Every structure is written in C-alpha cells, then in structure tokens.
Amino acid sequence: GQVRYRLLNHLEMFYLHSDSGVLYLRDVLIYNSQSSYNLTILAANSYTPLSSDALSNTITVQVLVTEYFMDTPPRCTQDTLVLVLEETTPIGQPVASYSCNNNDTLGLNYSIHSYNSTLLPFYLSTEGTLYLEEYLDYDIGERFYLLELQAKQTHLPFYSSSIYIHVIVTPVNEYPLVFNETLYSISLSELAARGSCITSVLATDEDSTPDGRIRYAILAANDTFSIDPLTGQIYLISSLNYNIISEYNLTIEAIDQSINP
C-alpha cells in the first residue's frame, strides 16, 4: 500500500513531505550553533494513523553541517621565481620553497609539473619545498626548466594558485684537459721553409661550451716557432741551422675558456 512519512523532531529546521518523503530545509543552518542533526522519520501505511505504532517503522537520518567559507584562491608569496643552479648542485638539497595561505583551516595540496620536460630532476614536498632529486648535467641534459608549482584547496570549490619557476642550469668546469699524446716528437730538416706547418697538437675537454673551448700557447719566449691558438698547429717562423741548434724543446699549454679554469 501507499507509505506516508512524518518527521518527529527538529521541525523548526526541517520539513518532510508526507507523500514523497523529500526533506526540505526551513531555516538557515549555522555551523557554529549546531554542526549536526539526527532526524527521526516515521514511515507508516497510509491506512494506519501516523500516530500509531502498528504497520510503521522509524529511521534516523543524520544531517552534517559543513562550515561555509567566503572562498578565494590561496595567496602565495610570489608569482614567479628564477633559479640559477650549477650542474654540480648536490642531490637532496632544497633549491626553492614557497608558501601559500589559505583563507580557512583546511589544507592545501601542492603539485609540480613542467612545460618543457617530461623527466624532472626535482620533487616537491607536501609543505611546498622544491628539492633536487637527480643530478643536473649541463653537457648532455636540460639546460632550462619551466616549472609550475600549484597549491590547490583540499575542499570545494578547489581553488588553486600557481608559482612559475624558471630554472637555469649553469656549467661547471668539471673535466681536465687531456692531450692525445704525452710527448710529440718530430724530425725536421734545417731546410724547412719558414711559414710551414710542422706538426699539430690536440687536447680534449669533456666539458661543453664555453668550458670545452680550448686555446693553445707556447710557454716561454720563442722566435722560431708559433702556434695557432685555436687549431694547435705549430709553424716554423724562422730559419733553422743544425750547426747552431740541433734540438728544440717546446712546452705547449692548453687552456679552456672557463671563467674558473
């Protein structure tokens, strides 16, 4: 048969439609006054008086009142940040931190993603601190990262705010210069023409530019030989005389272009 409903308590705040069982709110809920209501609802056969216990049953419906906030997005300490990190920055080191203030006592979730790289060497703590998680490598890795650090409310309406971080990786002069030979030895006729290239030296550096750019020089004063500072080619610039000097020992220096050689 047809069932009818009746609300037995808290009638000042709620109204229950007797036929449909739909519950309505009569007045404004105030969280600070009462945060929950336990409503007792009677369901009875329509042929039975609602006041009778026969052919009826009751159920308790709990209504929880949530606190209302005049929500606005979280307010962060800054909108953008530029970080300059050397490629030898230690793993696990905090490289940036930011804080965002919510306008209530509920929390914020922090997240990070990149606009130009899928593999990030960074991780973000739950408090909003950015750490270096993997080694940076100027020579073979990314030299620039554009990161978005987001603070998002953990409750409706889930407002969020972001800080954009520009990370610039700078090179470090990590690798020593190495000549391809430890000793260069050549035989040269005293009739060799001035201006001719008699040999060349080569040094390598695993650093990328500018630390990997090499310049060459002959140490000590010398008016017989010269060296091309870029190619390492050695030239004869004056005539040889076996009877006067039969052997020359040249010390060649290779220097990279780092500001900290």
Side-chain angles (χ1 to χ4, degrees):
Q2 185 178 358
V3 178
R4 300 188 67 189
Y5 306 93
R6 182 178 180 183
L7 179 62
L8 301 182
N9 59 344
H10 296 296
L11 302 180
E12 75 287 355
M13 293 298 298
F14 302 93
Y15 165 73
L16 184 68
H17 193 282
S18 60
D19 292 327
S20 65
V22 176
L23 185 66
Y24 295 91
L25 185 64
R26 288 183 184 271
D27 204 349
V28 176
L29 298 171
I30 301 177
Y31 175 84
N32 293 329
S33 299
Q34 188 166 344
S35 61
S36 66
Y37 295 85
N38 291 316
L39 308 181
T40 302
I41 296 175
L42 173 71
N45 187 288
S46 60
Y47 297 104
T48 303
L50 287 177
S51 58
S52 171
D53 292 334
L55 300 177
S56 65
N57 200 356
T58 59
I59 189 173
T60 299
V61 176
Q62 186 179 47
V63 178
L64 300 177
V65 182
T66 58
E67 189 173 8
Y68 172 74
F69 304 98
M70 295 297 292
D71 267 330
T72 58
R75 294 183 300 276
C76 300
T77 52
Q78 56 197 119
D79 296 326
T80 59
L81 178 65
V82 177
L83 292 179
V84 179
L85 300 179
E86 291 186 343
E87 61 177 333
T88 53
T89 302
I91 288 179
Q93 176 172 313
V95 294
S97 63
Y98 77 117
S99 61
C100 298
N101 296 321
N102 210 9
N103 59 355
D104 53 55
T105 58
L106 300 178
L108 296 172
N109 283 331
Y110 293 94
S111 61
I112 180 175
H113 74 273
S114 172
Y115 286 97
N116 70 321
S117 179
T118 56
L119 299 176
L120 287 181
F122 308 98
Y123 74 91
L124 189 66
S125 72
T126 56
E127 295 81 19
T129 300
L130 186 68
Y131 291 87
L132 184 63
E133 187 174 29
E134 298 179 5
Y135 286 114
L136 302 172
D137 195 325
Y138 180 90
D139 302 304
I140 62 174
E142 296 284 354
R143 300 181 181 182
F144 174 77
Y145 297 90
L146 177 57
L147 310 177
E148 179 185 3
L149 277 63
Q150 186 183 78
K152 187 175 183 179
Q153 292 175 339
T154 58
H155 58 87
L156 289 172
F158 300 113
Y159 285 134
S160 65
S161 294
S162 296
I163 292 180
Y164 296 92
I165 299 183
H166 303 258
V167 181
I168 301 171
V169 181
T170 59
V172 174
N173 195 13
E174 299 177 274
Y175 303 103
L177 294 173
V178 178
F179 280 98
N180 63 340
E181 296 184 32
T182 57
L183 176 65
Y184 294 85
S185 179
I186 64 169
S187 296
L188 188 62
S189 170
E190 64 178 342
L191 300 178
R194 287 184 298 173
S196 61
C197 178
I198 60 173
T199 189
S200 62
V201 296
L202 176 65
T204 57
D205 187 347
E206 293 186 31
D207 287 308
S208 294
T209 56
D211 294 332
R213 294 175 182 167
I214 300 172
R215 296 183 70 88
Y216 301 92
I218 298 176
L219 299 183
N222 187 327
D223 58 2
T224 306
F225 303 95
S226 69
I227 189 168
D228 187 311
L230 299 181
T231 65
Q233 291 178 316
I234 299 176
Y235 294 88
L236 180 65
I237 59 175
S238 64
S239 299
L240 301 175
N241 189 322
Y242 176 84
N243 295 319
I244 299 175
I245 302 177
S246 61
E247 183 178 294
Y248 294 86
N249 291 305
L250 304 179
T251 301
I252 309 298
E253 180 183 50
I255 307 173
D256 65 26
Q257 300 304 293
S258 170
I259 60 173
N260 298 307

